[in-house]
Amino acid sequence: MHLDTCFLIDLQREKRTNCDVGARSFLQEHASEFAVISTVVAMEYLEGFADSDLSTARLFLNAFAWVSIDAAVAIRASRVRR
């Protein structure tokens, strides 16, 4: 299961406010599935943090496996998005 940037933002917000609905409950319901983020999603997520908060953001992202984007993935993603 590939998580997108909006999902990570929701998840981080829910974690900060100790809310278990939405993203957190989705992950709990799908705990048997392997969740990954792409390097692009990580980059987009990290854009929202000041340098002083970067270590906290990176700790959050370290909970997920990161996958690299190659040409085949980029082409397939463009077809899905279109």
Side-chain angles (χ1 to χ4, degrees), residues 25-56:
S25 65
F26 178 85
L27 285 181
Q28 290 169 354
E29 291 169 10
H30 296 87
S32 64
E33 296 183 43
F34 189 65
V36 301
I37 60 172
S38 70
T39 52
V40 173
V41 167
M43 181 267 314
E44 291 173 343
Y45 179 80
L46 292 169
E47 284 178 0
F49 289 85
D51 290 346
S52 59
D53 296 326
L54 194 56
S55 62
T56 301

Side-chain angles (χ1 to χ4, degrees), residues 69-82:
I69 301 298
D70 61 15
V73 172
I75 291 167
R76 177 72 178 131
S78 73
R79 301 303 85 190
V80 170
R81 286 183 57 103
R82 188 182 66 180

Side-chain angles (χ1 to χ4, degrees), residues 2-42:
H2 181 268
L3 306 178
D4 69 3
T5 308
C6 293
F7 186 90
L8 291 184
I9 292 168
D10 289 347
L11 185 61
Q12 188 264 337
R13 184 179 300 122
E14 291 173 20
K15 182 179 177 185
R16 187 178 65 239
T17 61
N18 201 26
C19 177
D20 281 337
V21 297
R24 288 178 88 178
S25 65
F26 178 85
L27 285 181
Q28 290 169 354
E29 291 169 10
H30 296 87
S32 64
E33 296 183 43
F34 189 65
V36 301
I37 60 172
S38 70
T39 52
V40 173
V41 167

